[in-house]
Amino acid sequence: YFYDANQGIDAIYLNGLPSQVVAYNFPLHQWSIFHETAAYGQDSWTIARRITVNAGLRFQHFRTFNPPQSSPAPYFPTLFPVRSFPQSQDLANWNTFRPRLGVAIDLTGKGSSVLRASFDEFDVIEGTELAEALNPNGFSSQTFPWTDTNGDGIPQLSEWLPSKPQVSSGGAFTHVDPNLKRPYSREINIGYEQQLFHDVRVGVNYYHRSTKNLFASRNLLNLPSDYTPVTADPATGAPILNPLTNQPMTLYNLNPAKVGLANFVITNIPDLNNNAYNAVEFTGQKRMSKNWQLLAGFTIQRKKGTYRQGTGEDFNNPNNLIFAQNNILDYDATYVFKVDSTYVLPMNINVGANFQHYTGYPIDAQVLNPPQAVFDVGLNQGPITVSIANRGSIRLPDVNLFNLRFSRPTRLSDRVNLEPMVDLFNITNSQTVTQEISTFGPTWLQPADLNGNPGILNPFIARFGLRLTF
């Protein structure tokens, strides 16, 4: 990863007025490496012509480390040192075996109905996540108050650098647990499929997937016993209230003698072993006959467990565990319905229709402590971000999306085909919100503007195309 920014800083404005300057340890050139090698064997057996058994075993080797590396001199050498590091030791060196087993039973012997079941384990793809988290040549920043003395709205060094930083972030974790185990998922699937007519099949499937050995960090110098529960602002005595519900809320204040002490270890977190996905899916399929075909599915699903915000989350800090248990995880949509159909009109004109509906994704409701006059509680450890609701208790609006396609394949010769196409996306011009600001404050739940995306579905779009195959 190569990081840089104009002059190595961000200028922060509050209501249009200069507020803070964030200085980064840029330019930053960071390398992390992983090696992945796998081999597997599988076989299948047919028993009494009605039962088919598939079994397999997969071996996987994973190794990750940080190679020798250095970054150019930083913009602010008084804040950030010159960085040059030798190759690290192996941060993980795993050898794992994962089984696969599937059974299919032809219930009638006529191929018109089948019962399937499988049990599988899969290693989680790691990539360089672990090595990045332990790379000493890592991203860091310091945030300073900015007093715009000349009123030009442009940060000069003399207006912020003499100040003491308000917030520091970044830096590498100290080490990795030598007994760290590789995360993996365990899946159980059971399904039944029945042919109703010669071209119509329906089915129902149950899916269960759990994840094991997920990891995050613990600060060994800030133990849970070093935090004291507080229900009132230590400075003012005012009760702490959840700004979303206006109900009493408990935060945790760190022992002042432990503030700033850090000895992080990345380790497996047992609380995450219960994270699981369960779903029931109903499907129907009509193969192409009498000029039309259809594929439809309806899924009821739920993924729940303990919420993990990333490798860097400190599981020794009880503030990080507020509203963390019994959460909806990932992009969970409770109900998903999809239908895709094609009809061939006279003159060989194809009409394709696609409709999908899904429950709005869950929102991570959070509040910053302290922001400006919303949730201002003085804690020894300084500013924190706190969840103020279980994930999934607030959701984005449900999404309904309808698309159409018109096309006409034309054979120009035995080997050449020409197909003009017209695609109509979001034909109802639905403006459903798909991303909202989840940090409580003046812009709470407003459509988010991320990377140029206004946080709503793309509007109605007509696309004209011509496909030539030969």
Side-chain angles (χ1 to χ4, degrees):
Y1 297 95
F2 286 10
Y3 298 92
D4 208 340
N6 185 19
Q7 301 181 41
I9 61 172
D10 275 341
I12 309 299
Y13 301 83
L14 181 62
N15 295 324
L17 299 177
S19 175
Q20 295 174 320
V21 168
V22 182
Y24 300 102
N25 63 335
F26 295 163
L28 178 63
H29 296 177
Q30 183 189 84
W31 290 264
S32 296
I33 292 177
F34 75 95
H35 294 163
E36 186 100 48
T37 306
Y40 68 92
Q42 63 183 30
D43 202 356
S44 62
W45 302 268
T46 300
I47 303 171
R49 294 190 301 177
R50 289 193 180 187
I51 301 175
T52 301
V53 178
N54 294 281
L57 186 67
R58 181 181 179 90
F59 166 78
Q60 205 139 329
H61 168 74
F62 177 84
R63 173 183 175 232
T64 186
F65 60 94
N66 292 310
Q69 58 193 279
S70 61
S71 288
Y75 289 98
F76 308 104
T78 59
L79 302 179
F80 307 104
V82 176
R83 295 136 298 170
S84 183
F85 304 94
Q87 179 169 317
S88 72
Q89 62 182 6
D90 285 353
L91 304 173
N93 197 323
W94 293 319
N95 295 292
T96 55
F97 291 89
R98 302 296 179 202
R100 317 282 171 87
L101 178 65
V103 178
I105 304 174
D106 183 349
L107 297 177
T108 63
K110 300 178 181 179
S112 59
S113 61
V114 61
L115 179 66
R116 295 187 178 92
S118 65
F119 173 88
D120 307 279
E121 290 185 352
F122 302 92
D123 284 315
V124 173
I125 300 300
E126 292 298 331
T128 58
E129 178 187 20
L130 184 60
E132 290 172 33
L134 288 148
N135 195 328
N137 190 25
F139 172 90
S140 62
S141 67
Q142 295 187 32
T143 303
F144 295 82
W146 171 21
T147 302
D148 189 20
T149 54
N150 62 5
D152 64 354
I154 301 174
Q156 279 81 40
L157 291 178
S158 60
E159 296 176 342
W160 60 271
L161 190 52
S163 306
K164 291 184 178 180
Q166 297 172 320
V167 180
S168 297
S169 64
F173 300 109
T174 304
H175 61 291
V176 62
D177 184 347
N179 298 315
L180 186 73
K181 297 178 181 178
R182 181 164 193 175
Y184 68 97
S185 65
R186 179 175 293 163
E187 300 186 10
I188 299 173
N189 301 331
I190 301 173
Y192 173 74
E193 188 173 325
Q194 175 69 50
Q195 180 174 328
L196 298 182
F197 307 103
H198 73 283
D199 57 356
V200 177
R201 300 182 73 89
V202 295
V204 58
N205 293 275
Y206 166 73
Y207 301 95
H208 169 84
R209 181 173 66 249
S210 58
T211 52
K212 308 296 182 183
N213 295 340
L214 291 176
F215 52 75
S217 67
R218 293 186 185 275
N219 187 351
L220 300 181
L221 297 183
N222 286 174
L223 302 178
S225 58
D226 293 324
Y227 290 85
T228 303
V230 292
T231 57
D233 188 333
T236 65
I240 300 174
L241 300 177
N242 186 319
L244 182 62
T245 63
N246 208 34
Q247 297 298 310
M249 187 174 184
T250 300
L251 299 182
Y252 298 87
N253 203 7
L254 180 61
N255 182 338
K258 296 298 186 74
V259 174
L261 300 181
N263 180 12
F264 286 97
V265 59
I266 293 182
T267 186
N268 299 116
I269 305 296
D271 291 347
L272 301 175
N273 282 338
N274 294 324
N275 292 1
Y277 170 84
N278 291 279
V280 177
E281 179 187 53
F282 302 90
T283 59
Q285 178 183 5
K286 180 190 177 299
R287 295 191 297 273
M288 178 62 77
S289 63
K290 298 181 180 180
N291 293 333
W292 70 286
Q293 65 179 4
L294 181 141
L295 177 65
F298 176 64
T299 304
I300 305 171
Q301 60 185 4
R302 179 55 46 89
K303 186 174 183 180
K304 296 188 70 174
T306 299
Y307 183 47
R308 182 190 76 150
Q309 299 186 46
T311 306
E313 183 174 7
D314 180 9
F315 267 76
N316 275 355
N317 185 345
N319 290 301
N320 292 335
L321 302 181
I322 297 174
F323 290 109
Q325 284 81 23
N326 197 33
N327 260 316
I328 303 300
L329 304 177
D330 298 337
Y331 291 101
D332 173 280
T334 308
Y335 302 104
V336 179
F337 173 70
K338 296 181 179 180
V339 60
D340 191 89
S341 182
T342 303
Y343 189 82
V344 182
L345 296 170
M347 299 179 64
N348 200 32
I349 297 174
N350 294 330
V351 180
N354 174 274
F355 174 79
Q356 56 180 303
H357 163 88
Y358 58 88
T359 305
Y361 294 144
I363 291 177
D364 301 326
Q366 298 179 330
V367 66
L368 305 180
N369 170 51
Q372 280 68 33
V374 176
F375 192 66
D376 197 350
V377 178
L379 298 176
N380 295 330
Q381 62 267 39
I384 61 173
T385 300
V386 183
S387 295
I388 53 177
N390 275 109
R391 196 171 187 270
S393 61
I394 305 173
R395 285 182 174 268
L396 293 165
D398 294 353
V399 173
N400 295 285
L401 191 60
F402 183 44
N403 305 318
L404 282 175
R405 163 174 281 191
F406 298 88
S407 67
R408 188 186 187 282
T410 302
R411 181 181 293 274
L412 301 181
S413 69
D414 290 341
R415 301 181 62 180
V416 180
N417 291 276
L418 187 67
E419 185 178 9
M421 297 175 292
V422 178
D423 290 311
L424 306 177
F425 299 102
N426 191 7
I427 196 169
T428 62
N429 199 30
S430 172
Q431 299 183 33
T432 307
V433 175
T434 57
Q435 183 73 44
E436 293 179 345
I437 295 173
S438 60
T439 302
F440 193 86
T443 58
W444 164 251
L445 297 187
Q446 290 186 9
D449 187 356
L450 301 176
N451 299 321
N453 182 355
I456 61 175
L457 285 178
N458 289 328
F460 168 75
I461 296 175
R463 182 176 66 184
F464 300 88
L466 191 65
R467 179 164 55 195
L468 178 69
T469 57
F470 55 91

